[in-house]
Amino acid sequence: MMLLLRIAATHVRNRLRQTIVSTLGVALGVGFSIAMASLMEGSQRDFVATLIEAIPHVQIRDEKRSPAEQPASLIYDAVQFNGLRPREDLRGIHNPVEALASLRDWVGGSLAQQLNGQAVLRYSGQDIGITLVGVMPRQELEVSKIGDDMREGAFEEIQTISNGLVLGDKAAERLGAELGETVTLTSANGVAKRFKIVGTFHTGVTTSDEGLAYANLKAVQILLEKPDIINSISVKLDDISQANEVAARAERQLGYKAVSWEEANEGLMEAFLVRNIIMYTVVGAILVVAGFGIFNIVSTIVHEKAKDIAILKSLGFPETDIQQIFILEGLVIGVMGAIVGCALGFGLSSYLASIKFEFTTNVEMTRLPIHFSASHYFIACVLALFSSGTAGYIPARKAARLNPVDIIRGAT
Amino acid sequence: MNTPVAEKQAASATLLEARDLTRILPAVVPVTLVEYINIKVTEAEFVAITGPSGSGKSSLLYLLGLLDRPSKGEILINAIDTQHLSSSELSRIRLEKIGFVFQFHFLLPEFTVLDNVMIPMQKLGKLPQKQQVEHATGLLTDLGLEEFLHRRPAQLSGGQRQRVAVARALANSPDLILADEPTGSLDSAATEQVFESLQKIVETQRTTVVAVTHDMDIASRMERRIHLVDGRVDYDNRQ
């Protein structure tokens, strides 16, 4: 094999200019594909990390996957019921303490209970509709990043100060209410209760900042007339890869719909998959173009080296050797291109990672998210070698089939 | 212990045999290159194949060298019938038992003289690298080329290149050397050098040399002459 490689390398070396051009073609393909893959996976990971940080890994809601069975269908053995009025239960997860305790036995992570409801917030003659979230602050701080989003006050104060309320900064701004002032919250049932603003938050998401408020769970249960009821349990897992399994088991155990972050963002994950397919298709196309360059140079060498092929065959080199020589020529260019391309890809990725952006919005991204991964280099190199090997194989097969007698006669 | 030369001398068996050898090129009107050739060549013979242009001299040589396959008939080398051997098996026989010398030297231009001679040895892989260098250097020295080991073929004269081709043909100590017009493109001085080289191989190494030539003066100095006319043996001074 070393002899064949030496012959191949000699052929390639003697066509230096064409070899350099072909090598650069492969190198550019490999380099750009690595940089593109690093950028795309970086942005994907950055997005997912932000998403995972912002939302619970598993959310158990007071819903069922299928409609609840009605009492009539339990009592009577009938094919179908028409005109029955369904039983109206008080919606929610009843007896949350027991539900949480049963989950804590096996779930690795933090759990937090919430009761959400709609309410009207009134201050100085202005009314705005908000979503009120009743929470146990210590639990909530463990499963969400609300603590980081606090602008004024402390989130824990909704526990320590009676009827404390943490409000989105935009909502507070609209009402003109400030820290320490008292506002009135009225539920859909007409129950009104006074709350003291103990903090404001800013998430950067307008709907939350303008229409979300947190209060102590007990206070919210009283306001919404849902004693000892919650409507969701948020789970922050130590190992997010377990989200689907935990959601499935929790749903089986409690009977309520449990959604993992992956299921909740299924469309997004599919979009990422499609994006990756598009990316690798583009990369493949680039390398196929580079492969044409290699095909061209190896075909030229085969044409020019017809006499050498006849010599080698007359010396006793079998067809497989001749074929290997020219496949090796394609691979020599491919390997050189892949090496240069890896260096180029690393350089490009490093450069992109160093570029700084300054945004005026509150969503901060000061640098392009680049993810350095050996798999990007490996995939690009494998594609490059496959492309160059295939590009070399076609003319190599032709070379192996050349009849030495025809060449010798032609030369004489 | 017997030396290879001594072993060759021990028995003068038939080295190469052609039986009813026929080669017809398929075409709308098929072209017959050679037909019904029957010859036997033994060890240490120095054979000239002569004949007018188009008589099938080179075609016969390519068939005997297993570079081309016959349409009919058989070729036996060391009593091995090559008719049913695969392409790679024929390559192996060429590598081990046959050396070629062509009219236009056919050296690999990017490699040095030494490399050109060593390539068949490297392919065969029987000798370690150091011995390959020594053997190749010895062959080239015997042919008066010791000064040109590291030159490229383009830096040599026609006669020198042809002698390198002879050295390459001898690299794996073959039983048979087939030469196609080895002196055809050389001046008289170079022709003499190459002829003497081939003659020396037959005499000292008892290697069989079969050479196609149109030079009757050269042919007359060879012990056996096979004359072809229209693809058939017209005359063979041994039969």
Side-chain angles (χ1 to χ4, degrees), chain A residues 383-397:
Chain A
L383 283 174
L385 293 183
F386 178 75
S387 170
S388 51
T390 308
Y393 173 75
I394 299 163
R397 203 175 54 169

Side-chain angles (χ1 to χ4, degrees), chain B residues 180-234:
Chain B
D180 186 11
E181 302 274 13
T183 58
S185 59
L186 304 179
D187 58 32
S188 55
T191 296
E192 196 55 34
Q193 283 177 336
V194 170
F195 178 79
E196 281 174 7
S197 303
L198 293 172
Q199 197 168 33
K200 194 175 162 192
I201 291 162
V202 177
E203 286 167 3
T204 60
Q205 300 186 27
R206 294 190 58 79
T207 301
T208 303
V209 174
V210 178
V212 165
T213 181
H214 63 271
D215 185 336
M216 294 313 290
D217 181 41
I218 289 286
S220 66
R221 294 161 66 188
M222 294 161 81
E223 59 183 293
R224 183 175 174 189
R225 289 172 296 284
I226 300 169
H227 189 73
L228 298 186
V229 175
D230 293 336
R232 285 173 177 259
V233 175
D234 179 56

Side-chain angles (χ1 to χ4, degrees), chain A residues 84-300:
Chain A
L84 278 180
R85 204 174 129 206
R87 187 179 68 180
E88 285 189 17
D89 291 326
L90 189 59
R91 189 176 162 177
I93 300 171
H94 298 258
N95 199 357
V97 175
E98 191 187 330
L100 281 169
S102 68
L103 290 173
R104 279 203 182 97
D105 284 345
W106 58 273
V107 173
S110 308
L111 298 146
Q113 51 191 323
Q114 293 116 6
L115 175 63
N116 298 354
Q118 297 302 309
V120 174
L121 180 63
R122 170 172 288 183
Y123 179 74
S124 69
Q126 292 183 82
D127 293 340
I128 59 166
I130 60 157
T131 299
L132 183 63
V133 186
V135 295
M136 306 284 276
R138 284 204 192 104
Q139 289 178 0
E140 189 63 22
L141 285 170
E142 283 183 18
V143 301
S144 78
K145 61 188 243 338
I146 187 70
D148 301 335
D149 295 334
M150 291 301 289
R151 281 285 166 94
E152 290 177 304
F155 193 73
E156 295 91 329
E157 285 183 358
I158 60 175
Q159 182 81 24
T160 53
I161 295 173
S162 176
N163 290 343
L165 185 79
V166 170
L167 188 61
D169 62 345
K170 299 273 184 198
E173 206 175 296
R174 271 174 67 190
L175 291 169
E178 292 187 355
L179 206 66
E181 290 180 321
T182 304
V183 295
T184 305
L185 280 168
T186 307
S187 73
N189 298 337
V191 179
K193 204 169 165 59
R194 292 168 72 80
F195 284 82
K196 186 180 177 184
I197 299 173
V198 295
T200 58
F201 62 83
H202 179 89
T203 62
V205 180
T206 310
T207 51
S208 297
D209 296 340
E210 283 186 350
L212 193 67
Y214 290 90
N216 187 282
L217 178 65
K218 286 285 174 205
V220 175
Q221 283 174 335
I222 292 166
L223 184 74
L224 300 179
E225 295 180 306
K226 289 186 173 179
D228 205 25
I229 289 175
I230 58 169
N231 55 16
S232 74
I233 298 170
S234 297
V235 183
K236 203 83 171 178
L237 295 169
D238 298 333
D239 177 8
I240 60 160
S241 66
Q242 297 292 311
N244 281 330
E245 287 80 2
V246 169
R249 187 172 165 187
E251 187 165 327
R252 280 198 306 277
Q253 186 175 319
L254 300 177
Y256 292 105
K257 185 177 177 182
V259 179
S260 69
W261 70 272
E262 283 164 300
E263 188 186 341
N265 296 284
E266 203 171 15
L268 198 64
M269 295 299 127
E270 281 173 6
F272 280 135
L273 180 70
V274 171
R275 200 174 73 143
N276 286 340
I277 291 170
I278 292 169
M279 178 186 77
Y280 281 109
T281 306
V282 172
V283 168
I286 294 170
L287 291 169
V288 165
V289 173
F292 274 106
I294 296 172
F295 173 81
N296 186 38
I297 184 171
V298 178
S299 293
T300 309

Side-chain angles (χ1 to χ4, degrees), chain A residues 345-367:
Chain A
F346 184 77
L348 271 172
S349 303
S350 302
Y351 173 70
L352 289 173
S354 71
I355 298 174
K356 282 184 183 173
F357 292 91
E358 287 182 10
F359 291 106
T360 52
T361 62
N362 289 305
V363 181
E364 290 176 6
M365 188 168 74
T366 53
R367 288 179 197 277

